[in-house]
Amino acid sequence: MGMTDAWLLPVLPAGAFAVLVLFGPYLPRRGDWLAIAAIFASFVLTFPIIADLTSALAEHGEEFVGAANSIPWLEVPGNLELRLGVHVDAITVVMLVVGSFVALMVQVYSLSYMRGDSRYGWYYAAMSLFAASMLALVLADNFLLLYFAWELVGLCSYLLIGHYSHLRSAAEAAKKAFITTRLGDVGLLIAIILLWRDTGTFGIQEVIAAAQAGEIRTEVLTASVVLLLLGAMGKSAQFPFHVWLPDAMEGPTPVSALIHAATMVVAGVYLVARTLPLFELVAGGPELVLAIGLFTAFLSAFLGLVMTDIKRVIAYSTINSLGLMFVALGVGAPAAAMLYLFTHAFFKALLFLGAGSVIHATERQDVNQLGGLWSKMPLTGVTFAVGAFSMAGLPFLAGFWAKDEILVGALENRVAFSFLLLSLPVTAMYMTRLFILTFLGQAREPEVAKHAHDAPLAMSVPLALLALLTLVTGLVVFDQVGRALGFPGGIGELIFLGEPEVFHFDTGVAAASSELVALGIIAGWFAWAVRPELPQRAAQAFRPIHAMLVNKYYLDDFYQAIIDRVVLAGSRVLAWFDRNVVNDTGVDGSALTTGFMGYLLKFQQTGKLPNYALAMVIGVVALALVAFTLKT
């Protein structure tokens, strides 16, 4: 088993999906064990792939660009050749580890969380297809296969967000996610077609090589890069497409963990990271990625301060994190972006599964109804704290190392660096607020807290493992740790543009970020633990700003107004035109005209010989007159 055999990883959960759909109702426990076994096998198979990668790096060093394996699919001689294949390099391996492990933890966790669900078997089938789609997406060696997997990821998110389809809110959230991301997907499809027209290939590495050789027209490359970014923005919930992500919380909590940590939302980050050489060739391309990521990160940071739904607070923290990843890509630091993606997968899955443990125990997810759960749920409390403070960037958790790498990468861009620093205390404040309101203080509903209990074993084990990884995964930034794992060095020597980057710890940046994070934690503690009346006073004093944040900058209202007054109004005009002009006049009109002419002609068919003889005589006379007229 090596890198060229990586195609097996998505095949296993895809096979589990097929079996569960066809025979799930007849299998013991609706086949949940089969889904877990399939994703477990995929996770285990990542280790020989990693071993093969380390061997290739040791042999070829910086010259190693990845291993590929493809087969012919469709060929039109002289015009088109389509192949299906995989491409494995360091970026791919990071995504494989993240996707397979988090999917495994989520499915194990779901054994208890989803027990008794009326669509239990279908849930595991959809989860298997979701994992298979994401693994296929990151392994794809060509844009066509990537787009196919990309759309499957969107389909699975629609199915799983709308799992509780009997609830209108869940059905609406699923549609919102699907339609919003489809806007970006159209851009991605157009970009793929444009690149194919200029290069004659769908191969990602071939397209990048052609672009670097100057074989793609400048205007085509520029348009393609913008459209690629549009697709990434939709999937990774960047402004202005971010509105679907908080509503996606209507799905089961384990689904939220998988979407936010390892599948859908990181697909856009992966796409930009994979095609970053194309962005580097376009004037203003990296700057556009940076601007979008920075605006998204800063915009979302303040919303966590006012949201009361425990899952929505975490959702906005995801948008913030995704913005940071785009910032790292925009400043040309793909290693920092992938490091943050890697660590974020574990602490974000930990936060969502911790929130699920709270919801499972209390049947509440509004933090104003919680509180005082620390003594009742110590394991959940400890693991949730690890995830929350890693998200905040507290030294020396995984999030700290990842955020600091992004800050170091943005150091030369003063505007970006300044805005990133400003967002640090805000993030620390809302994560501290979330932890205090959920676990500390007095129970706001004593009856709820009285019956609260810690997570069962199937839920506790994933929480503990994810907490452990949240503590240690950031250390892969160190060259010594990378070499101990068999790699040439830290993550900067595996994922890079131009040349490898040896890790240097910037004490100034680390000190500044740590001070700001500490300031945010202290401010959060003071506001929600020591003086809990302060947030209410601030909300009253700054009522317009508070209302704007509670209403999410009124963006949902703005979009709904556009839909109601522009999209639906335009649709009504088009519907009228289609019915009255195209259908009734163009289609039905020709049919009615033909019918009417037949109706008139039928009166000429009398069945009487004298009438026909008279018609013949009239015809002969008419022809004679015409001939005589023409002759004279």
Side-chain angles (χ1 to χ4, degrees):
M1 180 73 185
M3 288 184 285
T4 57
D5 302 311
W7 58 269
L8 277 171
L9 272 67
V11 167
L12 292 170
F17 164 75
V19 173
L20 290 174
V21 167
L22 294 173
F23 308 108
Y26 311 105
L27 296 175
R29 295 179 54 87
R30 303 290 181 88
D32 57 1
W33 52 272
L34 179 62
I36 293 173
I39 193 62
F40 177 73
S42 295
F43 172 64
V44 170
L45 290 177
T46 61
F47 289 99
I49 293 173
I50 294 172
D52 194 22
L53 174 65
T54 56
S55 299
L57 289 170
E59 182 178 352
H60 302 288
E62 297 176 27
E63 297 179 0
F64 178 73
V65 294
N69 182 17
S70 64
I71 58 172
W73 176 35
L74 177 65
E75 182 177 1
V76 179
N79 292 289
L80 177 66
E81 181 185 14
L82 300 181
R83 302 182 68 84
L84 297 178
V86 298
H87 175 86
V88 180
D89 58 10
I91 295 178
T92 311
V93 166
V94 170
M95 297 298 296
L96 291 178
V97 172
V98 165
S100 59
F101 181 77
V102 173
L104 174 62
M105 292 297 98
V106 167
Q107 291 194 27
V108 171
Y109 180 96
S110 299
L111 289 172
S112 290
Y113 191 89
M114 297 300 293
R115 182 178 299 166
D117 187 87
S118 59
R119 302 172 67 201
Y120 184 78
W122 169 249
Y123 170 84
Y124 270 96
M127 290 289 272
S128 295
L129 182 61
F130 207 178
S133 303
M134 190 62 191
L135 293 174
L137 190 155
V138 301
L139 283 167
D141 71 339
N142 66 84
F143 281 115
L144 202 61
L145 179 58
L146 181 145
Y147 186 75
F148 177 75
W150 187 275
E151 292 303 315
L152 270 182
V153 168
L155 172 64
C156 292
S157 70
Y158 171 78
L159 296 173
L160 287 166
I161 293 170
H163 181 76
Y164 301 127
S165 54
H166 59 284
L167 300 176
R168 181 175 178 82
S169 58
E172 293 295 329
K175 288 191 294 182
K176 185 175 182 179
F178 188 76
I179 294 171
T180 304
T181 56
R182 285 294 299 163
L183 296 174
D185 294 353
V186 172
L188 174 59
L189 179 59
I190 297 172
I192 292 171
I193 294 171
L194 289 176
L195 292 171
W196 171 73
R197 286 188 61 187
D198 261 38
T199 62
T201 179
F202 289 105
I204 297 174
Q205 302 306 316
E206 289 85 350
V207 168
I208 292 174
Q212 291 173 333
E215 298 173 5
I216 302 177
R217 290 170 291 169
T218 302
E219 62 275 15
V220 171
L221 183 60
T222 302
S224 300
V225 162
V226 173
L227 292 168
L228 283 171
L229 179 59
L230 193 68
M233 289 165 59
K235 276 290 190 286
S236 288
Q238 297 298 286
F239 179 86
F241 301 113
H242 67 283
V243 293
W244 70 266
L245 193 58
D247 287 0
M249 300 302 97
E250 294 295 335
T253 305
V255 171
S256 302
L258 191 59
I259 289 176
H260 286 245
T263 51
M264 186 165 174
V265 299
V266 295
V269 177
Y270 167 78
L271 176 65
V272 176
R274 172 62 68 202
T275 58
L276 197 56
L278 298 180
F279 285 82
E280 293 285 326
L281 294 172
V282 173
E287 289 77 11
L288 181 60
V289 177
L290 170 62
I292 290 170
L294 194 62
F295 190 75
T296 302
F298 199 73
L299 191 78
S300 59
F302 294 94
L303 295 176
L305 292 171
V306 298
M307 294 296 147
T308 59
D309 186 300
I310 185 173
K311 291 170 66 176
R312 286 181 183 270
V313 176
I314 304 172
Y316 281 110
S317 76
T318 299
I319 298 175
N320 179 262
S321 295
L322 293 167
L324 292 176
M325 296 178 207
F326 272 74
V327 168
L329 293 170
V331 298
M338 296 306 295
L339 174 63
Y340 198 96
L341 186 152
F342 183 62
T343 58
H344 171 266
F346 303 122
F347 67 71
K348 192 50 56 71
L350 177 60
L351 285 171
F352 271 110
L353 296 186
S357 179
V358 170
I359 297 169
H360 184 265
T362 65
E363 297 183 356
R364 301 287 191 280
Q365 57 190 75
D366 190 321
V367 292
N368 291 327
Q369 300 172 341
L370 298 171
L373 295 179
W374 180 270
S375 60
K376 298 288 185 178
M377 307 176 67
L379 175 65
T380 302
V382 170
T383 55
F384 193 91
V386 171
F389 291 116
S390 181
M391 173 67 208
L394 185 70
F396 293 92
L397 301 175
F400 165 79
W401 301 110
K403 280 190 177 181
D404 261 35
E405 280 299 282
I406 295 175
L407 287 170
V408 170
L411 197 56
E412 295 181 3
N413 189 316
R414 292 186 178 182
V415 174
F417 185 74
S418 300
F419 274 98
L420 289 178
L421 287 179
L422 287 174
S423 71
L424 291 178
V426 180
T427 303
M429 277 185 69
Y430 72 70
M431 294 311 299
T432 303
R433 167 185 178 265
L434 180 63
F435 178 74
I436 290 172
L437 293 179
T438 304
F439 292 98
L440 303 184
Q442 298 297 317
R444 295 168 189 81
E445 292 190 6
E447 191 64 25
V448 173
K450 181 180 178 182
H451 298 288
H453 55 83
D454 223 330
L457 185 63
M459 295 167 64
S460 297
V461 170
L463 289 174
L465 290 176
L466 288 168
L468 176 62
L469 290 171
T470 300
L471 292 172
V472 302
T473 48
L475 299 178
V476 297
V477 72
F478 289 98
D479 295 325
Q480 296 86 342
V481 174
R483 295 190 190 100
L485 294 173
F487 296 106
I491 195 167
E493 296 199 31
L494 291 175
I495 302 171
F496 53 85
L497 275 177
E499 59 183 21
E501 297 179 13
V502 178
F503 173 70
H504 295 290
F505 184 68
D506 193 311
T507 54
V509 171
S513 66
S514 299
E515 289 172 5
L516 290 171
V517 169
L519 179 64
I521 293 174
I522 293 170
W525 179 270
F526 184 77
W528 282 281
V530 179
R531 297 283 299 277
E533 73 278 3
L534 285 181
Q536 286 85 359
R537 290 182 181 177
Q540 290 296 322
F542 303 98
R543 188 174 300 175
I545 297 176
H546 181 261
M548 180 181 67
L549 294 176
V550 169
N551 289 283
K552 298 165 284 188
Y553 304 107
Y554 299 103
L555 284 173
D556 284 299
D557 299 323
F558 175 67
Y559 291 159
Q560 192 62 52
I562 291 177
I563 292 171
D564 293 341
R565 299 177 185 178
V566 179
V567 177
L568 294 181
S571 299
R572 283 191 287 270
V573 173
L574 291 175
W576 178 90
F577 182 85
D578 178 65
R579 168 56 60 187
N580 293 280
V581 178
V582 177
N583 196 358
D584 293 353
T585 303
V587 178
D588 291 351
S590 60
L592 291 172
T593 301
T594 304
F596 181 70
M597 295 302 296
Y599 173 78
L600 293 177
L601 290 172
K602 77 177 183 179
F603 293 109
Q604 306 304 317
Q605 305 299 320
T606 63
K608 298 178 180 180
L609 289 177
N611 291 348
Y612 298 152
L614 177 62
M616 293 172 65
V617 170
I618 293 173
V620 170
V621 171
L623 290 173
L625 289 172
V626 171
F628 179 75
T629 302
L630 292 174
K631 185 176 181 180
T632 57

